Amino acid sequence: MTRCRIASRLRRTSFAILIAGTSLSVLAPVMPADSADVQPQVIRVAASEATSRFVALGIGKSIAIDLPVDVKDVLVADPKTANAVIRSARRAYIIGVKVGQTNIFFFDANGKQIAGFDIAVTRDLNGLRGALKQSFPDADIHVEGIGDGIMLSGMAASPVEAQQAFDLASRLAGDTAKVVNGITVRDRDQVMLKVTVAEVRRDVLKQLGINFSGSLGYGTTVFKTNNPFSASGTDPSNSLRISGFSPSGNGLTATLQAMNRASVMRTLAEPNLTAVSGETASFVAGGEFPIPTGLSCDTTTSPPICQPTISFKKFGVSLTFTPVVLSAGRISLKLQTEVSNVSTDNAISLQQAGFSTTVPSIQTRRAETTVELPSGGSLALAGMIQEQTKHAISGTPGLMELPILGTLFRSRDYINDQTELVVIVTPYIVHPVSAKRLSQPDDGFADPTDPKAVLLGHLNRIYGSATGNAPAAASYQGQYGFILE
């Protein structure tokens, strides 16, 4: 009995020692054999912009957010820009306070991020959105706030709508510099302008008279006379002249001059130009004539050699127009047209360093206007009529006033210039076509055969089709078309 009790006590003591040894091994820190085996602590970002959702708010506007779990903590980076209000464990309200940017994070009881929001507070743009939608129902214009500025994007039907939307946003912002217009125009229209410029000018010159030129003297008394034509300032070489009465020993000559000249000039141009709505197109049909602008001298030679420097002045028919397609197919057209030609009137003569030249003048008729026309409608710029009349009588004082004999001592000069200019403008809204539907002036042109060119003197065959021969009409037997002789 005694031995059994002793053995039992020994077993309990050994088990207690074993348990105590195990406990000590668990509680005692395990020191690493080498410091290189120590693992660094992991730093984890609990919330950042990478896990945030962007939300745009207007000043004084708010949004309600329902969260999946209960909220324990809220972080607002800048409470002066936006604020977060918790009304229940899973519902929060975010309110915009002033223009700026901030972010808000929501955490649960364990410190884990529930949601994050990147808040951009801008001015309230709902009024602008409603005004644009009401003014342009067919346009797709988007409005976004960038700080205190406004960004317009989307599509507009015409440049006018895009400009009006920009003006409306600028009025709201108070400054055009705060509005960025990124609106693109959908299917920009193209406008073809057909212009007909017609001008008729008629000049009439009449000259009749007796010109006494020279001197007649007796002793110390000398009588000199000269009665040129003063209205035109010219003495035409093709006038009728009869000279006589030249006493011996004196230089007095009497010349009868008579002239009647009439001329008619017709100018016609029909330019066709096509431009995109809102862009400018120009056309010039004419030429350039040289004008001396100075002298360029080589001072290395003795004497210096001078050469005139030349610039060129344009003349002819010019056209510049800027179309803007409005709604309902109407076209706002800014038009500038000019017809000019070289004239000897008011010409000047220059003589410098042994160089002499005559610089002509330019007669110009110019019109500029801005109108609205429908596609296919015409505008006539007419009534540009100019008439200039000069009538001059020159002669010997006293003698020219005699009733009948005074005709021998006077000259009559009469000039009448009449000019009328008409410009007809017709805009069309056009679209590109295939090259096969276009034609050229030389389509169907064919050179003549050698027998026709040598024997008959033809310059070309009749053209009007690709083969050079137009198809015969049912009511006309033979060839027809354009003929150049």
Side-chain angles (χ1 to χ4, degrees):
M1 218 34 210
T2 304
R3 291 179 178 177
C4 292
R5 290 179 179 176
I6 294 172
S8 176
R9 290 178 179 177
L10 290 174
R11 287 195 295 269
R12 287 197 297 269
T13 304
S14 299
F15 183 73
I17 294 173
L18 179 61
I19 293 175
T22 303
S23 302
L24 291 175
S25 63
V26 172
L27 297 177
V30 178
M31 300 300 294
D34 191 358
S35 60
D37 296 335
V38 178
Q39 298 295 329
Q41 296 181 356
V42 178
I43 301 175
R44 184 174 60 88
V45 178
S48 66
E49 294 182 357
T51 59
S52 300
R53 180 182 300 177
F54 177 77
V55 175
L57 281 178
I59 299 177
K61 299 293 183 177
S62 63
I63 58 172
I65 300 174
D66 289 333
L67 301 172
V69 297
D70 295 344
V71 179
K72 183 63 177 179
D73 190 15
V74 179
L75 173 62
V76 180
D78 186 6
K80 296 181 179 180
T81 301
N83 196 8
V85 179
I86 304 297
R87 291 298 182 184
S88 63
R90 296 193 178 186
R91 170 161 292 187
Y93 301 94
I94 300 177
I95 304 171
V97 180
K98 72 172 186 178
V99 175
Q101 292 185 352
T102 186
N103 47 14
I104 300 177
F105 299 100
F106 297 92
F107 302 93
D108 60 6
N110 297 326
K112 294 182 180 180
Q113 178 184 349
I114 301 175
F117 298 95
D118 189 6
I119 308 298
V121 181
T122 61
R123 65 175 70 215
D124 187 14
L125 301 176
N126 289 334
L128 177 59
R129 294 187 180 96
L132 293 177
K133 187 64 177 178
Q134 183 178 3
S135 301
F136 314 107
D138 297 332
D140 185 19
I141 301 178
H142 306 283
V143 182
E144 300 294 337
I146 304 177
D148 60 346
I150 300 175
M151 175 68 183
L152 300 178
S153 60
M155 304 286 292
S158 65
V160 177
E161 289 188 359
Q163 183 62 35
Q164 291 177 352
F166 176 78
D167 295 340
L168 189 60
S170 300
R171 181 177 294 274
L172 176 64
D175 187 4
T176 57
K178 295 182 179 181
V179 181
V180 179
N181 190 0
I183 301 176
T184 58
V185 179
R186 178 175 57 248
D187 298 332
R188 298 184 65 182
D189 294 317
Q190 300 185 72
V191 178
M192 184 190 74
L193 189 67
K194 181 179 179 181
V195 180
T196 301
V197 180
E199 181 190 24
V200 175
R201 179 178 178 182
R202 180 173 179 266
D203 297 336
V204 176
L205 174 62
K206 297 180 180 180
Q207 294 178 339
L208 177 62
I210 298 178
N211 183 9
F212 286 94
S213 60
S215 62
L216 180 63
Y218 180 77
T220 59
T221 303
V222 178
F223 173 75
K224 294 182 179 181
T225 180
N226 188 12
N227 302 328
F229 295 104
S230 59
S232 63
T234 60
D235 189 9
S237 59
N238 57 349
S239 62
L240 174 62
R241 296 187 181 186
I242 302 176
S243 301
F245 187 67
S246 179
S248 59
N250 295 281
L252 185 62
T253 303
T255 304
L256 173 64
Q257 294 186 201
M259 182 179 180
N260 190 352
R261 183 182 66 186
S263 61
V264 175
M265 183 183 68
R266 178 177 181 265
T267 302
L268 178 65
E270 292 184 337
N272 292 340
L273 292 178
T274 302
V276 177
S277 176
E279 302 296 333
T280 301
S282 60
F283 167 86
V284 177
E288 298 180 352
F289 66 94
I291 297 178
T293 57
L295 292 176
S296 177
C297 298
D298 185 5
T299 59
T300 59
T301 61
S302 181
I305 300 176
C306 297
Q307 297 292 335
T309 56
I310 302 298
S311 64
F312 291 88
K313 177 69 176 179
K314 295 181 179 180
F315 68 93
V317 179
S318 64
L319 170 67
T320 302
F321 80 104
T322 303
V324 176
V325 178
L326 306 177
S327 58
R330 298 189 64 84
I331 303 172
S332 175
L333 188 65
K334 182 178 181 180
L335 176 68
Q336 296 177 347
T337 182
E338 179 179 310
V339 178
S340 59
N341 59 280
V342 180
S343 175
T344 57
D345 297 340
N346 302 322
I348 60 174
S349 298
L350 300 177
Q351 293 184 357
Q352 290 182 350
F355 172 76
S356 62
T357 184
T358 300
V359 180
S361 62
I362 291 289
Q363 292 185 348
T364 304
R365 278 75 65 197
R366 183 184 296 111
E368 180 177 354
T369 184
T370 301
V371 295
E372 286 188 15
L373 295 173
S375 178
S378 297
L379 168 68
L381 302 177
M384 290 182 284
I385 302 175
Q386 179 182 0
E387 183 173 359
Q388 184 179 14
T389 302
K390 295 181 180 180
H391 195 180
I393 297 178
S394 60
T396 305
L399 298 179
M400 62 178 292
E401 299 176 0
L402 295 176
I404 298 176
L405 299 178
T407 308
L408 302 176
F409 299 95
R410 63 174 176 260
S411 300
R412 177 178 177 267
D413 202 357
Y414 173 79
I415 297 176
N416 181 256
D417 295 336
Q418 296 177 349
T419 301
E420 182 176 2
L421 176 65
V422 176
V423 180
I424 301 176
V425 180
T426 306
Y428 297 93
I429 298 178
V430 296
H431 303 281
V433 298
S434 173
K436 297 180 180 179
R437 299 178 58 184
L438 302 177
S439 60
Q440 301 176 188
D442 60 344
D443 287 346
F445 178 85
D447 292 326
T449 60
D450 291 341
K452 288 185 177 181
V454 174
L455 301 178
L456 302 179
H458 288 181
L459 298 177
N460 63 283
R461 289 187 294 178
I462 299 175
Y463 69 95
S465 63
T467 59
N469 295 324
S475 59
Y476 176 76
Q477 300 296 328
Q479 298 175 340
Y480 64 92
F482 296 99
I483 301 177
L484 297 179
E485 294 293 348

